[in-house]
Amino acid sequence: MLLKLSEDQIGALIPAFLHVNQEMKISAMGPSIARHLPHVRVGMPCAEAFNIVNFDTAQFFEGKTGIEAVRIVSLAGDVSLSGAAIFHENGCLLAVRFVLSEETFSGGSLDLSDFSHSDPVVLSSMLIALQRALLEESQATAIELAHERQRSTDLLARTSRVAGYMAHDFNNLLSIIQLNTDRLLRQFGHEEKIGKLANIIHETALRGSDVTQSLMALSQQGTGTLQPISVDDVIHENAAIFRSLVGSTVKLTINLKAAKHKSVFSYNDLLNGIINLLVNARESMPKGGRIELSTSISSGLISKGNGSQSARSGEYIAIRVVDNGQGMSDALLSRAFEPLFSSKPNGTGLGLASVRNFVVEMGGDVWLESAVGKGTTVHLHLPVAGSSASLLSENVDAMSSPPSDAQGQHRILLVEDEPYALEALSEMLEGEGYAVTPCCSGEEAIIALGRETYDVLLSDIIMPGQNGTDVARQASAAQPSIKIILMSGYVPDSAALEPGWMFLHKPMDSAELLRVISA
């Protein structure tokens, strides 16, 4: 029936057909052959244009009847066709179609008119083309998202640095105000009017310090004095606050097994971290539930908490906060510690980020386990004071040593580039009986270290030229027994604290400073 149709009718049904006569010459061809292989002409020998892959051309017609599978390849290009060879008395109709290849798709040389309407390759080619388009679109979207994430990360890093240095300058000014207010109270506190005004200035400076707390959170900085503290004591002392915080619909169970083991951290930073975790747990259980807050002592690997592989073994205090709330999806879990990211409509995205920053700065690690509908567990590890993973001191209590000079008077090398703060600190320390050598720069302090022996180095960190950490390293090398106390409103990454050093956050309380010096 097919062979009784006209050439145009066959071409409409099979656009890529070929007809060869008994002499193996091309006697007719479909429109798509003429379009894609313009060198092929009617009347030319088939062997000059095509190679019949699965037949011997010289014996093509011998003993052939009916229909057989055939595959031909163009000699002038990479065009490959396959289909059926229909043998009849006047020759053979090659009812073939194009074989799709990677080059065909990438070149986009074929369209639907090159295939018959009932050809299954039409549907498959459409599906493949659709999949290719979706894949290319998803790849482009993924690349754009990666670029956008990197831009956001860079912007956050720049904002963090700017906020940190702003906080440092602001805290320096607040320190000057507070130190000089203390001078007024010591000298004229007995006069009612002056004492009242000094207290107003002091309270206002404290309120200004609250503003810097937000800047420090944005700059991912800690805000407290670092010292060895019992984690169990912190939790026990604030148990009533914790139970009030989670509310009456949530049952809080506290199980403390870290005993008197201590870790070096800021009391307020740990307290704020636990409060953040409890608030998150409470908000995941709007209809009530259970929270378990527990501590224990374990040994193992403590990573730096920043995704690096440089984990160190040691003894650590393990803190766990477990709730039976809504839990988190994998997507939320992967972004939980991102600064400024929050799943809550009015969330700031600083809660978990600040917890992570605090733990990492203390040489510990923190991670989450969660599943939708099965609750969340927060694991928080802090190195035990004296373990190899501690950032500050193998035993901060042991740093205290008796005065070295004959008169029993501590000699303090004071380094501060703010003149008013230097004057106020010198006067306060001398009033407490210390022998103070004031220096307004790191270079001046290095010279002083070469001339005299000191019991304590009290230095600002961020200064022009030789910064506080440079001075501390040289002081430790020149006088190994010297106690290092650094102070700053902001600690940049390049000024990392070393084991054995103590740190005070500006603005400082005079009583706290004196306690740390005499510890």
Side-chain angles (χ1 to χ4, degrees):
M1 180 68 182
L2 181 64
L3 299 178
K4 294 180 180 181
L5 299 175
S6 68
E7 184 178 320
D8 289 340
Q9 289 173 323
I10 295 175
L13 291 173
I14 310 172
F17 84 91
L18 284 167
H19 187 273
V20 294
N21 58 26
Q22 293 286 352
E23 298 176 354
M24 287 298 295
K25 291 184 178 181
I26 298 173
S27 57
M29 59 184 179
S32 63
I33 294 292
R35 182 163 59 251
H36 294 289
L37 299 171
H39 65 286
V40 177
R41 301 181 307 278
V42 173
M44 71 183 301
C46 182
E48 292 183 6
F50 297 99
N51 175 34
I52 302 177
V53 177
N54 56 334
F55 285 107
D56 183 350
T57 305
Q59 300 176 351
F60 185 72
F61 286 103
E62 289 185 8
K64 303 292 192 307
T65 60
I67 301 174
E68 295 191 28
V70 67
R71 180 167 179 262
I72 64 176
V73 178
S74 170
L75 299 178
D78 296 329
V79 177
S80 179
L81 303 103
S82 68
I86 305 173
F87 294 91
H88 62 98
E89 58 187 15
N90 295 322
C92 180
L93 175 68
L94 301 177
V96 292
R97 63 169 178 261
F98 291 98
V99 177
L100 298 178
S101 64
E102 184 68 25
E103 291 76 11
T104 305
F105 278 112
S106 61
S109 58
L110 298 178
D111 55 43
L112 292 182
S113 65
D114 293 317
F115 302 91
S116 69
H117 301 290
S118 60
D119 198 329
V121 79
V122 173
L123 181 58
S124 63
S125 63
M126 292 177 65
L127 290 174
I128 293 172
L130 179 60
Q131 289 174 341
R132 182 182 296 277
L134 291 174
L135 179 60
E136 291 175 351
E137 181 68 22
S138 64
Q139 288 175 335
T141 302
I143 292 172
E144 180 60 30
L145 286 174
H147 289 324
E148 188 63 33
R149 178 70 60 85
Q150 186 60 48
R151 286 192 290 268
S152 299
T153 301
D154 293 342
L155 176 60
L156 181 62
R158 291 195 296 271
T159 304
S160 173
R161 288 193 296 271
V162 171
Y165 283 105
M166 287 176 60
H168 171 263
D169 291 340
F170 195 18
N171 282 330
N172 262 343
L173 297 176
L174 290 174
S175 287
I176 294 171
I177 294 172
Q178 285 187 298
L179 289 169
N180 283 284
T181 301
D182 290 341
R183 293 170 68 186
L184 287 174
L185 287 171
R186 284 195 301 270
Q187 295 181 25
F188 306 106
H190 59 280
E191 298 182 22
E192 182 179 356
K193 186 174 183 179
I194 295 179
K196 182 178 180 180
L197 291 174
N199 280 319
I200 292 174
I201 296 172
H202 185 75
E203 291 176 7
T204 305
L206 290 177
R207 290 169 59 187
S209 180
D210 292 337
V211 177
T212 65
Q213 299 293 326
S214 298
L215 289 174
M216 298 309 291
L218 186 58
S219 67
Q220 304 177 25
Q221 287 282 313
T223 58
T225 298
L226 306 180
Q227 54 188 315
I229 303 174
S230 166
V231 173
D232 283 10
D233 286 350
V234 175
I235 296 175
H236 179 73
E237 292 168 6
N238 295 278
I241 296 175
F242 296 156
R243 287 194 167 89
S244 174
L245 184 70
V246 299
S248 58
T249 61
V250 176
K251 180 181 179 181
L252 175 62
T253 302
I254 298 177
N255 187 13
L256 306 178
K257 294 184 179 180
K260 292 298 180 179
H261 286 82
K262 296 182 178 181
S263 182
V264 177
F265 56 83
S266 160
Y267 186 101
N268 288 335
D269 283 346
L270 177 62
L271 180 59
N272 289 335
I274 294 175
I275 287 175
N276 273 318
L277 298 180
L278 292 177
V279 168
N280 285 345
R282 180 197 67 194
E283 292 182 351
S284 73
M285 300 180 293
K287 297 181 179 180
R290 301 185 307 276
I291 300 176
E292 180 185 358
L293 172 60
S294 64
T295 64
S296 61
I297 298 297
S298 299
S299 297
L301 292 178
I302 304 175
S303 77
K304 291 184 177 180
N306 56 6
S308 67
Q309 299 299 317
S310 54
R312 296 172 290 178
S313 62
E315 193 176 24
Y316 56 85
I317 300 172
I319 305 172
R320 287 200 323 157
V321 178
V322 184
D323 68 65
N324 64 337
Q326 299 170 345
M328 289 184 282
S329 65
D330 291 341
L332 285 178
L333 196 61
S334 65
R335 302 189 63 188
F337 290 109
E338 282 187 20
L340 307 182
F341 171 78
S342 176
S343 61
K344 298 186 284 289
N346 299 317
T348 63
L350 294 176
L352 283 176
S354 65
V355 172
R356 180 177 179 80
N357 292 329
F358 155 66
V359 175
V360 171
E361 286 177 8
M362 298 304 102
D365 196 9
V366 60
W367 69 94
L368 302 176
E369 293 177 353
S370 187
V372 176
K374 296 183 179 180
T376 300
T377 300
V378 183
H379 299 270
L380 191 155
H381 286 177
L382 290 173
V384 172
S387 72
S388 61
S390 176
L391 273 181
L392 291 184
S393 173
E394 293 190 0
N395 191 342
V396 178
D397 293 333
M399 291 194 309
S400 178
S401 57
S404 58
D405 59 306
Q407 297 180 352
Q409 186 183 42
H410 275 77
R411 301 179 63 83
I412 299 178
L413 178 60
L414 174 63
V415 192
E416 171 62 72
D417 62 325
E418 287 285 348
Y420 294 139
L422 182 65
E423 179 185 352
L425 282 169
S426 297
E427 181 181 300
M428 180 193 71
L429 294 173
E430 288 172 348
E432 295 294 327
Y434 295 106
V436 180
T437 300
C439 299
C440 61
S441 69
E443 290 77 9
E444 187 177 337
I446 298 300
I447 295 173
L449 283 167
R451 292 175 178 170
E452 295 185 49
T453 300
Y454 297 94
D455 301 293
V456 178
L457 169 67
L458 177 61
S459 175
D460 190 17
I461 291 181
I462 300 178
M463 299 181 294
Q466 294 268 5
N467 61 39
T469 54
D470 294 334
V471 176
R473 291 188 185 97
Q474 295 192 49
S476 297
Q479 302 179 21
S481 63
I482 194 171
K483 177 190 290 188
I484 305 295
I485 304 174
L486 297 178
M487 51 187 177
S488 180
Y490 171 66
V491 185
D493 294 338
S494 58
L497 302 178
E498 293 187 358
W501 297 358
M502 298 193 72
F503 173 73
L504 288 171
H505 198 282
K506 292 183 177 180
M508 300 173 300
D509 180 76
S510 298
E512 182 181 24
L513 172 60
L514 293 173
R515 181 186 59 77
V516 172
I517 290 175
S518 61

